[in-house]
Amino acid sequence: MPSRPRKRTHPAGPVVLALAAAGSVLAGPAAPASAAPPSAGADLRADVNRDGRVDTTGSTDTTGEDSWTIGRGAVHLPNIDDDSKRCPVTGPGGAPLSDARLAACNDAADTKVNGTADAADLARVRSVPLPGLPADAKGSLQVTAGARYTHVFLKRSGKWVLVTPWTRLTAAELRSGVELGVEATDVIRNTAKWDGRAAVRLTVTSAQGTTSDSVTLRVAPLLTHHHLQNTQEVMVTKILGEGPYSRLQQKFVQELGKEVKNAGITKPLVTFEAYGDPWTQDFVEPAYVSMTGPGGHRQVMRVMLRSAQPDRDAGRELFEKIRGQNTGVVQVTDNAEPDDWSLNSMGNLETIPPYTHNGRSFPAGRVIMGERKDSGARPSKVMRTLLTSQGLQDPLLLDTSWLGVGHVDEFVQFLPADTPRGWRIGVADPEAGLRLLRDAQRDGHGRTKMFSVPGFNGAPAPKETIDQALASRHLVADNEMAAKRIAANLNILKRETGVTDDEIVRVPALYTREAEALTDSGQDIPVPRLTRMGAGSPLVDVLEEHGQQKWLARNPAAGRAAAPATVTTSAYVPGAVNGILLGRDRYLAPRQWGPVIAGKDVFTEAVTAAYTRVGMKVSYIDDWYTYHLGMGEVHCGTNTLRDASSTWWQLPAR
């Protein structure tokens, strides 16, 4: 988008600043035709071409300096980290702070530059030196757009000082040129209230007259990670204590640490411990903001996006433990009663990798979220508004009405690929799961146990056989329904991205309705899923204590909206697509515990084959009692911090 020409004015009127991308103009009265401007006037420059250098001698940073597009325009960061760990996490006497007070403190909450002396979080703006200015010249600075969300600092005598309405630049400073640092005090939350732009104006006055010049910056968009970004760290909750579930979950964490190390990830696990919420995927979505900093260095700030579930205490540990240097936290407040609390969990937010299709480009990828079309329930409007307001990842809603928990990570994933597109879609395939059982039955293995998992802590192992599973009144019909629902969602993804059938990895899976179990005779009985562990098992109580039964959160007794009338399901065999991508070709799936025939788990063999065909090396981790019976899997219980050093305004080179 071409920039508007500079407007230099007489003292009778300030500069005209055209915010072309915002469609607004700030203007003063026109200068009299007889006014004679000085031979050299105010000239402010920002890093419009995003190379990490403010060009004050050439013209590389002049075109587009008063506008902003995805591909060009100066960028500044929302400085919401805590570089020096100065933000308190408790009140007097160790009393817990409110969520609002936890969120209120960050580096942009004060009026000084925190952290390192080089002020890497500040975007640089410079004035072109004016060596011919007379001694009576002086300058002033003003934020003419976005002032409420913007701090401007002046580098003076080696120190950063806040620019105020009373700040004056001396003739000497203007002759040599000044350096400014700009930070935003928040991310964009709603473009109807603030579109992220900050316009900084320099005015120079002398006996010769007055000249002004402005530059426009926009705060870096808050972006979620996609699977073409390499995993750098893995997060998980560690349940403390000596109870049966605690011990089992601690074993899971130990095994996870080994798998992470084997995948070549050198950093240790990041563990949450304060609140005992095992669903680490659900209370946070790791995101990031970035810009090209001084010298061309990519300045990246991680931003932990807390789920829109204010009563989910685990999100507080993001402020209490995770926030620090180059790591901030964003939480949203939605006063509306949620239609479906579970939809606001972050397992219901995944990201399609970068793509271009039908004239639309998503260089940073695109968010997907699940909604319940059957009931009209959607994720928090405030969260959806925040994500949409970033302007790059336009959330795409898929239908998760058929899932009890309702999260997109229960049936779809995105995998790196050595193809022109660079990625594939992985989807759960219930029809393939039914075929595995029917083939086994046809070959005379119908009396083989459906599950090979052993019992635990007094809970007997599941007893149903392949014959009983296939004879179930609901299992076959529910999986045929699940296959149709998945196909409908896949058609949406194909239409929106251009993905073809050859770019889809179909992974065997089976689903079961939430309130279905089998008696020894193979009849369905309407009881919660966890009773498959055995009535009265102490592990059932422990699992409920730690929030494993996600469906409870949607029942009226738990203060939530009632579950929809639509039949809803969860994974019957541990959901293989609900795993973690640890490396470009390393995938960690939940152990299948399927029927063992001729010494081999038929589901493990089929899942491994599906991923191997597309170049993935699969390993497995047991999550049966820790996550699977709570209607989740490995992905639900973990989270990943990924590399964010690439440029979000350019599609990855292939």
Side-chain angles (χ1 to χ4, degrees):
M1 181 178 296
S3 65
R4 298 288 186 93
R6 296 180 190 275
K7 305 289 186 180
R8 294 195 173 107
T9 66
H10 188 267
V15 66
V16 173
L17 172 63
L19 294 181
S24 63
V25 175
L26 304 175
S34 60
S39 57
D43 192 348
L44 209 55
R45 305 282 181 93
D47 184 15
V48 176
N49 66 356
R50 304 174 188 170
D51 66 353
R53 185 175 67 93
V54 179
D55 182 3
T56 58
T57 59
S59 59
T60 60
D61 283 327
T62 57
T63 302
E65 68 170 13
D66 292 335
S67 61
W68 201 92
T69 65
I70 290 177
R72 186 174 176 86
V75 178
H76 63 309
L77 293 183
N79 200 6
I80 57 173
D81 61 352
D82 183 13
D83 283 338
S84 57
K85 296 289 285 187
R86 64 181 180 82
C87 293
V89 296
T90 58
L97 295 176
S98 67
D99 286 357
R101 287 195 62 189
L102 283 173
C105 184
N106 54 53
D107 281 353
D110 60 18
T111 55
K112 63 181 181 180
V113 176
N114 302 281
T116 56
D118 61 356
D121 291 339
L122 299 182
R124 299 306 200 268
V125 173
R126 296 177 182 272
S127 69
V128 174
L130 301 172
L133 279 183
D136 68 336
K138 60 182 179 181
S140 62
L141 295 158
Q142 183 182 3
V143 180
T144 59
R148 179 182 174 187
Y149 302 93
T150 308
H151 288 156
V152 178
F153 297 92
L154 169 66
K155 191 72 167 292
R156 177 171 274 171
S157 301
K159 296 182 180 180
W160 292 100
V161 296
L162 182 70
V163 171
T164 73
W166 302 275
T167 300
R168 293 295 178 265
L169 304 177
T170 67
E173 288 175 319
L174 292 168
R175 288 178 189 134
S176 60
V178 296
E179 180 181 8
L180 307 175
V182 182
E183 69 179 13
T185 61
D186 200 359
V187 298
I188 306 171
R189 294 175 182 265
N190 186 339
T191 51
K193 297 180 179 179
W194 178 50
D195 65 1
R197 286 176 172 80
V200 182
R201 180 170 65 194
L202 167 65
T203 300
V204 177
T205 302
S206 72
Q208 294 178 320
T210 296
T211 62
S212 296
D213 189 39
S214 298
V215 292
T216 297
L217 303 90
R218 184 187 186 271
V219 69
L222 176 63
L223 302 171
T224 58
H225 289 288
H226 56 78
H227 280 173
L228 300 191
Q229 296 169 312
N230 293 330
T231 303
Q232 295 180 326
E233 297 179 74
V234 174
M235 303 191 295
V236 66
T237 299
K238 187 175 183 180
I239 305 297
L240 305 179
E242 296 298 326
Y245 176 75
S246 299
R247 293 196 302 271
L248 201 62
Q249 204 274 341
Q250 289 163 18
K251 180 181 178 182
F252 174 88
V253 172
Q254 291 175 351
E255 293 179 353
L256 177 66
K258 294 177 183 177
E259 292 288 346
V260 168
K261 186 176 181 180
N262 290 341
I265 300 171
T266 58
K267 292 184 178 180
L269 296 176
V270 177
T271 57
F272 297 96
E273 301 176 3
Y275 296 96
D277 186 336
W279 305 104
T280 309
Q281 183 68 215
D282 286 349
F283 58 79
V284 58
E285 182 70 23
Y288 65 98
V289 293
S290 68
M291 68 177 183
T292 308
H297 171 73
R298 185 80 67 244
Q299 181 64 11
V300 177
M301 185 182 297
R302 295 197 183 280
V303 179
M304 303 292 105
L305 185 55
R306 184 180 181 181
S307 65
Q309 299 164 315
D311 53 351
R312 192 164 199 160
D313 289 342
R316 293 173 55 85
E317 199 166 0
L318 302 172
F319 295 101
E320 296 165 345
K321 179 177 181 177
I322 305 301
R323 179 172 58 186
Q325 185 175 13
N326 293 329
T327 303
V329 183
V330 165
Q331 67 180 21
V332 298
T333 301
D334 194 342
N335 295 325
E337 182 69 20
D339 293 326
D340 190 316
W341 186 82
S342 183
L343 293 183
N344 288 335
S345 294
M346 293 309 203
N348 193 33
L349 191 160
E350 293 299 310
T351 307
I352 306 171
Y355 72 93
T356 296
H357 182 61
N358 280 346
R360 300 188 71 188
S361 180
F362 296 90
R366 186 178 185 186
V367 165
I368 60 170
M369 304 177 81
E371 64 174 336
R372 296 192 185 277
K373 288 188 177 180
D374 293 359
S375 67
R378 287 185 165 189
S380 161
K381 183 177 180 180
V382 174
M383 180 64 77
R384 287 185 285 118
T385 298
L386 181 145
L387 294 168
T388 302
S389 293
Q390 307 312 308
L392 268 82
Q393 294 184 317
D394 186 25
L396 175 65
L397 296 181
L398 302 180
D399 181 20
T400 55
S401 303
W402 56 285
L403 290 165
V405 177
H407 295 177
V408 290
D409 70 350
E410 297 179 76
F411 72 94
V412 66
Q413 62 184 185
F414 303 95
L415 303 169
D418 291 325
T419 63
R421 187 182 304 280
W423 51 270
R424 296 183 174 93
I425 295 177
V427 293
D429 188 350
E431 292 178 324
L434 288 175
R435 280 198 302 272
L436 288 176
L437 297 188
R438 287 166 173 158
D439 288 349
Q441 186 182 59
R442 179 202 62 201
D443 294 339
H445 303 292
R447 299 179 64 183
T448 299
K449 282 187 175 183
M450 179 66 218
F451 297 106
S452 51
V453 63
F456 176 77
N457 199 54
K463 297 180 179 180
E464 58 258 46
T465 65
I466 292 174
D467 283 341
Q468 289 173 330
L470 288 174
S472 164
R473 184 163 55 95
H474 295 304
L475 187 68
V476 173
D478 288 352
N479 277 283
E480 290 174 346
M481 177 273 295
K484 292 178 181 178
R485 295 286 188 131
I486 291 172
N489 282 312
L490 193 53
N491 284 336
I492 294 173
L493 290 169
K494 290 164 68 175
R495 181 189 71 220
E496 292 292 327
T497 67
V499 162
T500 65
D501 287 335
D502 290 340
E503 297 174 288
I504 296 169
V505 184
R506 300 181 185 275
V507 184
L510 284 175
Y511 294 89
T512 182
R513 62 181 58 195
E514 293 176 57
E516 177 179 350
L518 298 175
T519 64
D520 289 344
S521 63
Q523 296 177 332
D524 302 314
I525 52 176
V527 294
R529 180 86 186 281
L530 283 176
T531 57
R532 287 179 58 201
M533 298 165 51
S537 166
L539 189 54
V540 173
D541 295 332
V542 177
L543 288 169
E544 291 177 348
E545 176 186 348
H546 287 290
Q548 290 289 88
Q549 288 179 286
K550 292 185 181 181
W551 61 274
L552 284 175
R554 297 190 309 280
N555 290 342
R560 310 295 179 199
T566 303
V567 170
T568 57
T569 66
S570 60
Y572 185 52
V573 175
V577 298
N578 201 342
I580 325 171
L581 188 71
L582 293 177
R584 184 173 177 82
D585 63 347
R586 297 294 296 267
Y587 184 68
L588 180 61
R591 183 168 178 176
Q592 296 294 280
W593 292 115
V596 174
I597 298 174
K600 295 181 179 181
D601 181 328
V602 296
F603 271 83
T604 299
E605 292 291 302
V607 168
T608 299
Y611 284 111
T612 300
R613 280 194 292 271
V614 293
M616 304 295 296
K617 300 174 183 177
V618 189
S619 56
Y620 295 88
I621 185 170
D622 180 14
D623 75 347
W624 184 275
Y625 291 109
T626 49
Y627 296 102
H628 173 64
L629 291 185
M631 300 170 67
E633 308 293 354
V634 180
H635 188 264
C636 303
T638 60
N639 224 314
T640 53
L641 301 177
R642 296 182 174 273
D643 175 57
S645 61
S646 61
T647 52
W648 44 261
W649 57 88
Q650 296 176 337
L651 282 168
R654 292 297 304 166

